[in-house]
Amino acid sequence: DKFIKDMDASFSNSEGSLSGNIFGNLVNIGPKMSIDEARLSLYADDDKFGLGFNYGESVEDGNDGEILTLGTLGRDKASDLSLQLRILPSGMRINSADWDIHEAELSIADGHIRIDGFGFSNGDQGISINGCIDSNGGDSLRVDMERFGIDLLNPLLPDNMQLSGSATGSALLVSPIASPDLNLDIVCDSAAIGGHQQLFVRLLRV
């Protein structure tokens, strides 16, 4: 099911830095999910790096996009590898709908994973992720949804579980990472599962 067609890669380490591109004419992720003309570009110099991913640039099927990031690698207080990542404002089209990817910060250090400001939106619908989760407990990561079209999940689901409708609410993931608690309060309006109309579904777990 998973493959990359017509893959090509090139790298250079001139002047002490590393740069490169990995290209695939077709990347098949699953039975119903594939992307055309996928390119991963990278640049690294000392402890700084940049990553860019774009796809579907010249394919007129309503699906294309670009994600840009900048990052720094280092060591935390325990001398373990740490990561500081900045996601730059980017965008993508999914089924001809424009989605904005918001500027965000992600850090991994001292047993903590922190996300600030990550989200993507299309008009009045979107998802945002903020907070922290760690290995000791006491922190939480929150996912907020506003009129999010759950049909975007359909390429990941079997044919008899296809979804429609919109979801509004939140999910709270509470540390520790090894055994987190999940609290849900999500309402799905005009929902249908496998073609069967549910009208109104509420997911609640506290």
Side-chain angles (χ1 to χ4, degrees):
D1 283 339
K2 300 175 179 64
F3 61 83
I4 301 176
K5 183 180 178 182
D6 299 331
M7 179 177 171
D8 181 65
S10 61
F11 297 93
S12 171
N13 63 346
S14 62
E15 300 181 359
S17 62
L18 174 67
S19 61
N21 287 279
I22 302 173
F23 175 80
N25 192 49
L26 175 68
V27 179
N28 200 71
I29 304 169
K32 296 184 295 179
M33 181 179 289
S34 63
I35 53 179
D36 296 291
E37 297 184 349
R39 183 184 303 276
L40 177 67
S41 303
L42 63 92
Y43 175 82
D45 187 4
D46 196 19
D47 61 345
K48 305 288 194 299
F49 68 89
L51 291 173
F53 177 74
N54 62 75
Y55 65 95
E57 205 167 7
S58 63
V59 180
E60 296 297 328
D61 65 351
N63 293 284
D64 55 71
E66 181 178 55
I67 301 173
L68 303 172
T69 64
L70 298 173
T72 303
L73 295 172
R75 294 287 177 181
D76 60 19
K77 296 175 183 177
S79 295
D80 294 324
L81 188 67
S82 66
L83 169 68
Q84 302 288 328
L85 189 69
R86 180 184 172 201
I87 300 173
L88 302 179
S90 312
M92 62 177 64
R93 282 194 308 155
I94 303 175
N95 297 328
S96 298
D98 291 317
W99 287 82
D100 294 321
I101 300 173
H102 304 166
E103 185 171 0
E105 302 279 346
L106 180 148
S107 65
I108 302 174
D110 300 313
H112 293 72
I113 301 173
R114 176 174 294 279
I115 301 174
D116 293 308
F118 179 75
F120 54 97
S121 60
N122 165 245
D124 61 354
Q125 63 173 320
I127 288 183
S128 62
I129 304 175
N130 291 279
C132 180
I133 188 166
D134 61 35
S135 54
N136 299 318
D139 287 320
S140 60
L141 190 69
R142 183 183 178 95
V143 180
D144 289 299
M145 287 173 280
E146 183 66 34
R147 299 180 58 82
F148 176 68
I150 57 178
D151 57 300
L152 285 181
L153 303 175
N154 285 338
L156 305 174
L157 301 173
D159 290 337
N160 62 349
M161 287 291 292
Q162 296 295 285
L163 304 174
S164 65
S166 62
T168 297
S170 63
L172 192 68
L173 193 65
V174 182
S175 301
I177 296 173
S179 55
D181 289 329
L182 178 62
N183 299 325
L184 295 175
D185 188 0
I186 299 173
V187 173
C188 297
D189 188 30
S190 301
I193 303 174
H196 300 287
Q197 198 73 28
Q198 307 296 317
L199 295 181
F200 183 90
V201 176
R202 185 172 189 183
L203 304 176
L204 186 65
R205 185 179 187 272
V206 295

